[in-house]
Amino acid sequence: AQSVTQLDSQVPVFEEAPVELRCNYSSSVSVYLFWYVQYPNQGLQLLLKYLSGSTLVESINGFEAEFNKSQTSFHLRKPSVHISDTAEYFCAVSDSGGSNYKLTFGKGTLLTVNP
Amino acid sequence: NAGVMQNPRHLVRRRGQEARLRCSPMKGHSHVYWYRQLPEEGLKFMVYLQKENIIDESGMPKERFSAEFPKEGPSILRIQQVVRGDSAAYFCASSPGFGVGQPQHFGDGTRLSIL
């Protein structure tokens, strides 16, 4: 079984500031890692994912995350945030085997971008 | 180009009543997943269905909860004799096939409130 810890429940930042949302996981098997974003009263949207290969993955809107196997982390970063990035961000993990459809989510980090 | 459609968006029930939550997957998707989000928690996997088959129901409570995905029509998550602890957001996701290369697309959720 896997588990995900998102260390910060809320992260307030000012517009154009950099941000890092932290995610650590535990698993006894190889994993796939995901970041999802949830805007108010909406469903989750996949932001980016790590399956294999390069440990640095990027999204189309400027976010990036780096898989660090030794530290069991998958932190999400953006060098300069916008007001529109205000949302809740969920880190998720699945095993890389036959039940990889079963996502395990963290409790989420509410990112609030202030003007 | 409709996404995953869930209805109702909000559902209020009194203790002891039944709740039925519906999910229409994206066009061309034959795999459906249900997740539950308790207050201040991450999403928890409940069940994975394909047309007319339950593939994995390891996350479903043993009693009062059932799910189906008939040959025709939406997937239904049914909760009998609801209790206060069933209050949560229930999300449905769908994918075109099996495996992490087939990302899950989420609906906007049904917020269930038990009086």
Side-chain angles (χ1 to χ4, degrees):
Chain A
Q2 297 89 34
S3 68
V4 176
T5 302
Q6 291 183 244
L7 297 167
D8 306 299
S9 60
Q10 298 186 46
V11 173
V13 295
F14 288 108
E15 195 173 16
E16 298 184 5
V19 71
E20 177 180 82
L21 307 183
R22 295 180 290 171
C23 172
N24 288 88
Y25 69 93
S26 67
S27 176
S28 58
V29 298
S30 296
V31 296
Y32 296 139
L33 293 154
F34 308 82
W35 276 100
Y36 281 82
V37 57
Q38 184 180 30
Y39 298 101
N41 295 314
Q42 294 186 24
L44 280 72
Q45 301 174 32
L46 180 64
L47 192 58
L48 45 76
K49 61 185 177 184
Y50 169 78
L51 304 181
S52 64
S54 173
T55 57
L56 184 65
V57 291
E58 299 177 351
S59 72
I60 59 173
N61 57 352
F63 283 93
E64 64 178 32
E66 186 161 19
F67 170 51
N68 188 318
K69 188 175 182 179
S70 63
Q71 297 189 6
T72 61
S73 67
F74 191 55
H75 301 330
L76 182 70
R77 302 184 184 95
K78 189 170 184 179
S80 176
V81 294
H82 302 290
I83 299 285
S84 59
D85 292 324
T86 294
E88 189 143 27
Y89 292 79
F90 291 92
C91 181
V93 64
S94 72
D95 69 49
S96 59
S99 58
N100 58 46
Y101 53 83
K102 190 184 297 185
L103 299 173
T104 298
F105 288 84
K107 292 185 178 182
T109 297
L110 178 61
L111 173 64
T112 304
V113 181
N114 299 300
Chain B
N1 292 326
V4 178
M5 302 300 291
Q6 289 189 248
N7 67 81
R9 291 292 303 276
H10 301 274
L11 181 61
V12 180
R13 285 288 178 267
R14 296 188 182 280
R15 283 177 293 172
Q17 292 184 320
E18 178 180 286
R20 281 183 174 242
L21 288 62
R22 295 175 183 77
C23 170
S24 297
M26 287 182 69
K27 186 176 182 180
H29 288 195
S30 58
H31 299 245
V32 166
Y33 317 82
W34 285 93
Y35 291 82
R36 178 167 65 175
Q37 184 181 28
L38 294 170
E40 299 185 11
E41 296 281 333
L43 280 71
K44 303 280 190 223
F45 170 82
M46 299 181 76
V47 62
Y48 165 32
L49 310 104
Q50 292 181 29
K51 284 285 187 181
E52 298 185 280
N53 288 303
I54 297 174
I55 307 302
D56 181 347
E57 56 182 347
S58 59
M60 289 278 272
K62 298 299 181 190
E63 298 177 346
R64 301 187 297 107
F65 284 71
S66 62
E68 62 177 7
F69 189 17
K71 186 177 180 180
E72 300 290 339
S75 175
I76 305 288
L77 180 67
R78 183 184 178 201
I79 311 172
Q80 295 178 292
Q81 300 176 331
V82 296
V83 300
R84 287 258 170 87
D86 297 333
S87 294
Y90 292 82
F91 289 94
C92 171
S94 72
S95 67
F98 169 79
V100 73
Q102 309 277 351
Q104 296 178 27
H105 297 260
F106 283 80
D108 290 346
T110 293
R111 273 84 182 162
L112 176 64
S113 298
I114 309 302
L115 301 180

